[in-house]
Amino acid sequence: MAGRGEGNGAATMAGVATGGVEDAYGEDRATEDQPITPWAVCVASGHSLLRDPRHNKGLSFTEKERDAHYLRGLLPPVVLSQELQEKRLLQNVRQFQVPLQRYMALMDLQERNERLFYKLLIDNVEELLPVVYTPTVGEACQKYGSIFRRPQGLYISLKEKGRILELLRNWPEKSIQVIVVTDGERILGLGDLGCQGMGIPVGKLALYTALGGVRPSACLPITIDVGTNNEDLLKDEFYIGLRQKRATGQEYSDLLDEFMAAIKQHYGQKVLVQFEDFANYNAFTLLEKYRANNLVFNDDIQGTAAVVLAGLIAAQKFVSGTLADHTFLFFGAGEAGTGIAELVALEISNQSKVPVEDARKKIWLLDSKGLIVSSRKDSLQPFKKRYAHEHEPVKDLLDAVKVIKPTALIGSAGVGQSFTKKVIEAMSSINERPIILALSNPTSQSECTAEQAYSWSKGRAIFGSGSPFDPVKYNDKLFVPAQANNAYIFPGFGLGVVISGAIRVKDEMILAAAEGLADQVTPEHVDKGLIYPPFSCIRKISANIAARVAAKAYDLGLASHLPRPKDLVKYAESCMYSPIYRSYR
């Protein structure tokens, strides 16, 4: 495939003596008995090698490596295995009681020993995922200026208008395959954090590598700084961004146009650009504007939709019928809510062979002004109008549940505790097994807790949430809450795009990712009340999702890496980045 040839050439030009097997990226995957000589090691002193996070192994450098690379005396005499290093670091991280301190410790590790960071994260993903991403990353972004130590990613501000291509050339890596970009206006449920939103692209790309196997050097986090409307940040002496109100209108549009053009010119059309945490009005506009001619993906719209759809498909294993037999009520009609609704409608359309317009009639949305109905059409944003059904106005969520009688209640409004006891009791009176998804995060924004959902429904709720919750014991039965975490979808989705060389993202590929995730839910998981498989096997899950996405890209004629591999699951697994230390000559 093209990627292999390009990788070999790049390796040769860089002076890499590859002793192992190269993956789809041209990344050397040598094992301990297949030594390599990275060009950086050849030209660097031992002191520089210890400061290079990609090649640093700390106390795991062997006696021969210490002699060959002038490390003798720069390290204590003991030689430790990577496993023992990992054990020690996990103990150190666990000693911190404050989640933000754990986050900072892991970020420090990433900056000094990349492979050890990823091995620690992969091997302890269920414990450390809430640290490197939701919910702790939200606090990290709020305090990013105060905890700032070393720049991560690329910062593009209004000051660089007209020079974005030049900035991209400043980034040391030339073979980029996934970019996560934010403008910081809607960070999680925390609002406008401006330039300090960089924690989100950094965290997302760490998960692309740990969970999806996309190599770290192929990932580029970017923050576009157009100012902030957060008065507290503008007054904060430690704020790291532009001290001005947000640019809007043509000035904003021109900057994004220049950015997208520069990305395509510098990296080509096969680099995946993932928009992250843009405000609703920009998120939809940018996705629609660029998706026809660029390889773009919005995780808040498409990724969230895919993971929720997967949960709804898996929930059918608890109840009879198909998605078309359900009635869905969404509390929240922003980018997440409407994105989920549209993907659900598309899946119902595909399953039932009915027009998508008819499928939408099974879906109701409620925003801050009440139920979205036809009498409100003139005042609705375009993406809401398609769900404005004929009905009397309804202002209150509880009233909406009573009159619509949904089988599934899905929250994405970021309004904490909005699924009250009366709401859940109403859902339970309508349904034997009510589907209740409290998707808003961080935890403080969740529509209800797992304990509330199970106790108020008398243990009958099929529950999922955006933030993690501990298992709940009710009437001597242990319920394991399922977290509808986007990390189930976007790493595997990105890997599928990369290994197929896809040039566009189509809705069919998003559906394929959702169906691939749902298929990983086994009868054993259902017995525990799970609508998602456990995160402990996330790399296997990601490989299966990647295979589904790649297969759909090939079927649609959008894949550029030819010929098509015979076994896409095995091929995806073979392409995944390994954090195991390599031996240096």
Side-chain angles (χ1 to χ4, degrees), residues 223-283:
T223 289
I224 296 179
D225 185 0
V226 296
T228 179
N229 294 333
N230 187 322
E231 291 293 341
D232 290 337
L233 288 179
L234 291 173
K235 295 174 184 175
D236 185 351
E237 62 180 328
F238 299 125
Y239 179 57
I240 61 173
L242 292 177
R243 294 181 185 276
Q244 65 176 63
K245 293 290 186 180
R246 278 191 171 271
T248 58
Q250 197 62 45
E251 185 179 20
Y252 180 90
S253 180
D254 289 347
L255 188 70
L256 267 294
D257 283 346
E258 182 188 349
F259 169 73
M260 291 302 297
I263 292 294
K264 202 167 187 178
Q265 181 178 344
H266 191 58
Y267 295 119
Q269 66 174 340
K270 290 189 289 185
V271 60
L272 177 64
V273 178
Q274 177 171 311
F275 295 116
E276 194 70 38
D277 286 0
F278 285 75
N280 290 353
Y281 48 85
N282 285 325

Side-chain angles (χ1 to χ4, degrees), residues 61-127:
F61 283 107
T62 65
E63 299 287 353
K64 288 183 178 180
E65 289 171 337
R66 295 181 189 207
D67 285 333
H69 300 290
Y70 309 101
L71 293 168
R72 186 69 66 180
L74 300 182
L75 292 167
V78 70
V79 176
L80 298 182
S81 67
Q82 189 178 21
E83 289 70 24
L84 199 55
Q85 285 183 311
E86 180 184 0
K87 180 180 178 181
R88 181 186 63 190
L89 279 162
L90 188 60
Q91 287 180 349
N92 291 342
V93 169
R94 286 172 174 168
Q95 287 177 0
F96 292 112
Q97 299 300 312
V98 179
L100 186 61
Q101 291 177 330
R102 293 186 175 192
Y103 173 88
M104 293 170 65
L106 288 171
M107 292 303 102
D108 285 345
L109 174 61
Q110 185 182 21
E111 291 175 6
R112 71 175 184 270
N113 188 328
E114 187 175 84
R115 287 182 180 269
L116 186 56
F117 167 79
Y118 284 113
K119 190 170 193 309
L120 185 68
L121 183 53
I122 290 168
D123 291 347
N124 304 277
V125 64
E126 291 179 293
E127 178 179 352

Side-chain angles (χ1 to χ4, degrees), residues 452-481:
Q452 289 168 341
Y454 292 125
S455 61
W456 293 341
S457 68
K458 294 182 168 49
R460 292 191 280 119
I462 301 169
F463 179 76
S465 61
S467 293
F469 286 105
D470 292 329
V472 175
K473 194 170 186 180
Y474 179 81
N475 282 353
D476 296 326
K477 182 175 181 181
L478 189 67
F479 293 90
V480 182

Side-chain angles (χ1 to χ4, degrees), residues 428-440:
S428 303
S429 69
I430 298 165
N431 306 283
E432 179 62 29
R433 299 299 305 273
I435 300 171
I436 297 171
L437 303 183
L439 301 178
S440 296

Side-chain angles (χ1 to χ4, degrees), residues 291-488:
R291 68 186 304 178
N293 298 306
N294 298 269
L295 185 65
V296 296
F297 174 72
N298 186 302
D299 188 46
D300 302 302
I301 299 172
Q302 296 163 298
T304 299
V307 75
V308 176
L309 175 59
L312 293 171
I313 294 172
Q316 305 312 299
K317 300 175 184 182
F318 294 83
V319 295
S320 59
T322 65
L323 283 182
D325 299 317
H326 288 267
T327 301
F328 303 90
L329 176 59
F330 286 80
F331 179 66
E335 59 185 291
T338 53
I340 300 164
E342 195 63 11
L343 200 66
V344 171
L346 190 58
E347 180 73 3
I348 292 173
S349 174
N350 287 353
Q351 285 185 6
S352 306
K353 309 301 180 188
V354 299
V356 70
E357 292 79 11
D358 291 341
R360 291 188 186 119
K361 294 175 182 177
K362 305 288 293 183
I363 300 169
W364 296 81
L365 274 59
L366 188 145
D367 63 11
S368 59
K369 295 181 175 63
L371 198 65
I372 292 178
V373 294
S374 56
S375 60
R376 293 180 53 194
K377 260 191 176 179
D378 291 344
S379 62
L380 292 174
Q381 294 164 289
F383 58 85
K384 294 182 183 181
K385 287 184 178 180
R386 61 189 63 166
Y387 293 98
H389 307 316
E390 287 291 336
H391 199 282
E392 291 297 315
V394 179
K395 293 289 186 182
D396 180 70
L397 174 60
L398 178 58
D399 290 338
V401 169
K402 289 178 178 178
V403 299
I404 299 300
K405 300 187 185 307
T407 52
L409 178 61
I410 302 163
S412 62
V415 181
Q417 292 298 300
S418 52
F419 290 179
T420 63
K421 183 178 182 180
K422 288 184 178 180
V423 167
I424 292 177
E425 285 177 342
M427 285 291 297
S428 303
S429 69
I430 298 165
N431 306 283
E432 179 62 29
R433 299 299 305 273
I435 300 171
I436 297 171
L437 303 183
L439 301 178
S440 296
N441 55 45
T443 310
S444 60
Q445 251 63 41
S446 185
E447 287 79 7
C448 68
T449 66
E451 184 176 9
Q452 289 168 341
Y454 292 125
S455 61
W456 293 341
S457 68
K458 294 182 168 49
R460 292 191 280 119
I462 301 169
F463 179 76
S465 61
S467 293
F469 286 105
D470 292 329
V472 175
K473 194 170 186 180
Y474 179 81
N475 282 353
D476 296 326
K477 182 175 181 181
L478 189 67
F479 293 90
V480 182
Q483 186 185 2
N485 195 320
N486 288 25
Y488 275 117

